[in-house]
Amino acid sequence: MFVSESIKSKFSAKNIINAILLTIGGISLFFAQSANWINHIVFNQQTFTDITVSTITKEPNRRAISQAIVDKIFADRPLADKLIGDRSVNLISEMLNSDLSQKTLNRVASSGYAYVTSKDRQDIAVDLTAIKQPISTIVSLAESRGRDVKIDPSKIPDKITIINSSELPQVSNYIQNMLIAGLFLWLTVILTFSIFIFINRKTLVKQLYIVGSVIIGVSILALFTGPFLPSIISSFVNNINLRTVVTDLASAYLSPFYQQLYLTILITSLTLLIIRFRWIFKKSWQASYQAINKKVTHK
């Protein structure tokens, strides 16, 4: 009776240890993947800038920014807004896609990079000072009932703020800590899964399946929760017109992270398939070895 209870106790303790190892390994894997994404996408200024500029210059986002500009210009002129507002939005949107606005959009990307990675945050804004005169000319060319509508450049705002300096939670500390912890997280993943396999080595193949299932499960869970993040982030933005821009930006930044997860799932699945059908590879190897050996013997 005493022996039976002792065996049961050891079995229960082993199960608890296995659960702890798999839990630590799974959580560490998620944060290790996050650290890898932060290092190669968020903290890489060139990559971050390229993603930002390419996202902002998409037509829906250009129109959203243009709409915010036009709303400011005609804030006290509702009739003019009603008559030529839509056409002005179209014209300004096209201008934002031209070489004239390239430097302006690059500054948006730079301020966005500083916003995410630095404690000293400034507004992420489209600086209009360099393009106020072209905007004034463009809007003035928008005809209403055969008349030109003249716009005073001073009526055009100096900037259109996409995200205020205090709108989103401070994440620079988190990013820096993740960069530092990245190596330790990967080591934790390798160590915990290796220990789990070692202490259950009598059923090695089964344990490899379990580890592979945990890796795939964590990746799938991250994929399911990821799409909610852009909407959550954009909900902090006060300007309703610009929420779509923030949502698209967040989705663009997260896209490489999703690619990492899909790649992880693919590689893990292929590895499990190889383990499952290892006998085919074993037979193929043996057949090839025997064929080569016969040829060598006959010579």
Side-chain angles (χ1 to χ4, degrees), residues 235-255:
S235 68
F236 288 95
V237 178
N238 292 324
N239 192 317
I240 296 175
N241 286 329
L242 297 177
R243 284 182 180 175
T244 56
V245 180
V246 176
T247 299
D248 272 6
L249 283 170
S251 297
Y253 298 140
L254 286 169
S255 180

Side-chain angles (χ1 to χ4, degrees), residues 104-131:
T104 298
L105 297 181
N106 283 335
R107 289 193 196 100
V108 174
S110 297
S111 61
Y113 178 78
Y115 190 98
V116 174
T117 60
S118 172
K119 293 180 182 179
D120 183 21
R121 302 197 304 184
Q122 304 296 324
D123 293 346
I124 301 177
V126 181
D127 185 1
L128 302 177
T129 54
I131 56 175

Side-chain angles (χ1 to χ4, degrees), residues 32-255:
Q33 289 272 37
S34 300
N36 186 64
W37 166 70
I38 288 171
N39 184 47
H40 290 92
I41 304 300
V42 179
F43 215 74
N44 185 317
Q45 187 169 4
Q46 186 59 54
T47 302
F48 188 93
T49 298
D50 291 343
I51 291 174
T52 302
V53 173
S54 64
T55 302
I56 289 178
T57 51
K58 288 180 179 178
E59 185 179 359
N61 295 326
R62 285 189 283 111
R63 285 189 62 83
I65 294 171
S66 301
Q67 185 64 61
I69 294 171
V70 169
D71 288 347
K72 288 277 188 178
I73 294 173
F74 296 127
D76 55 350
R77 299 175 62 186
L79 181 59
D81 186 17
K82 183 177 180 180
L83 293 174
I84 65 170
D86 288 342
R87 188 172 182 187
S88 298
V89 168
N90 292 335
L91 292 171
I92 294 174
S93 175
E94 290 302 316
M95 192 196 71
L96 289 176
N97 197 35
S98 67
D99 293 339
L100 182 65
S101 304
Q102 189 64 38
K103 288 185 178 179
T104 298
L105 297 181
N106 283 335
R107 289 193 196 100
V108 174
S110 297
S111 61
Y113 178 78
Y115 190 98
V116 174
T117 60
S118 172
K119 293 180 182 179
D120 183 21
R121 302 197 304 184
Q122 304 296 324
D123 293 346
I124 301 177
V126 181
D127 185 1
L128 302 177
T129 54
I131 56 175
K132 285 177 75 169
Q133 186 58 53
I135 289 177
S136 174
T137 302
I138 284 173
V139 176
S140 295
L141 289 174
E143 296 181 355
S144 173
R145 297 183 181 178
R147 298 179 182 180
D148 291 337
V149 179
K150 302 299 181 183
I151 300 296
D152 183 357
S154 64
K155 296 291 185 181
I156 301 173
D158 290 334
K159 66 177 184 178
I160 292 295
T161 301
I162 298 176
I163 302 175
N164 289 322
S165 59
S166 58
E167 273 185 332
L168 297 183
Q170 178 71 258
V171 295
S172 60
N173 287 336
Y174 170 77
I175 288 175
Q176 291 169 2
N177 291 335
M178 286 294 287
L179 288 173
I180 295 170
L183 176 61
F184 298 101
L185 286 166
W186 282 114
L187 288 174
T188 301
V189 172
I190 295 169
L191 186 62
T192 52
F193 287 154
S194 297
I195 293 173
F196 172 80
I197 292 170
F198 178 76
I199 64 177
N200 298 281
R201 59 189 178 279
K202 290 183 179 180
T203 53
L204 178 61
V205 174
K206 179 182 178 182
Q207 307 318 314
L208 290 173
Y209 286 151
I210 292 173
V211 170
S213 299
V214 170
I215 293 172
I216 292 173
V218 169
S219 300
I220 291 174
L221 182 62
L223 283 172
F224 275 114
T225 56
F228 294 101
L229 289 177
S231 298
I232 293 172
I233 293 170
S234 65
S235 68
F236 288 95
V237 178
N238 292 324
N239 192 317
I240 296 175
N241 286 329
L242 297 177
R243 284 182 180 175
T244 56
V245 180
V246 176
T247 299
D248 272 6
L249 283 170
S251 297
Y253 298 140
L254 286 169
S255 180

